[in-house]
């Protein structure tokens, strides 16, 4: 969680961030942190105790993600 702002600075507006290897019980904290910092979760993946997600960094004027999941996978 302490690296959210650092990761945010690396992703341009309109870009995607893929996070993986997060324990299922901890993922919601990370999701909340990114949602508060200009990101929208596009997809969450869980396998056993591990979770990952794809996040889109929205422009300040966007209310929702213009990218379809099929555009990036």
């Amino acid at each position: 969680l302490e690296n959210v702002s650092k990761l945010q600075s690396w992703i341009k507006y309109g870009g995607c961030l893929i996070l993986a290897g997060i324990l299922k019980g901890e993922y919601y904290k990370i999701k909340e942190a990114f949602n508060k910092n200009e990101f929208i979760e596009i997809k969450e993946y869980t396998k056993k105790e591990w979770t990952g997600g794809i996040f889109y960094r929205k422009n300040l004027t966007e209310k929702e993600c213009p990218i379809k999941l099929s555009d990036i996978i």
Side-chain angles (χ1 to χ4, degrees):
L1 290 174
E2 62 273 359
N3 291 320
V4 170
S5 60
K6 187 175 190 177
L7 288 170
Q8 179 183 10
S9 72
W10 294 343
I11 307 299
K12 67 180 183 173
Y13 289 105
C16 290
L17 172 67
I18 299 172
L19 299 174
I22 303 163
L23 288 171
K24 186 165 54 173
E26 300 294 316
Y27 182 76
Y28 75 95
K29 294 177 194 174
I30 293 170
K31 178 181 173 177
E32 283 183 10
F34 278 98
N35 284 342
K36 290 178 185 175
N37 285 284
E38 303 173 345
F39 285 85
I40 300 169
E41 181 190 58
I42 298 173
K43 181 70 178 169
E44 176 184 334
Y45 296 93
T46 301
K47 186 172 183 179
K48 296 185 181 179
E49 71 271 13
W50 298 105
T51 300
I54 301 172
F55 293 85
Y56 169 78
R57 186 171 184 195
K58 62 184 179 175
N59 291 310
L60 300 178
T61 59
E62 291 176 321
K63 298 202 185 299
E64 57 185 59
C65 178
I67 296 176
K68 295 178 185 144
L69 189 57
S70 60
D71 293 341
I72 56 175
I73 299 180

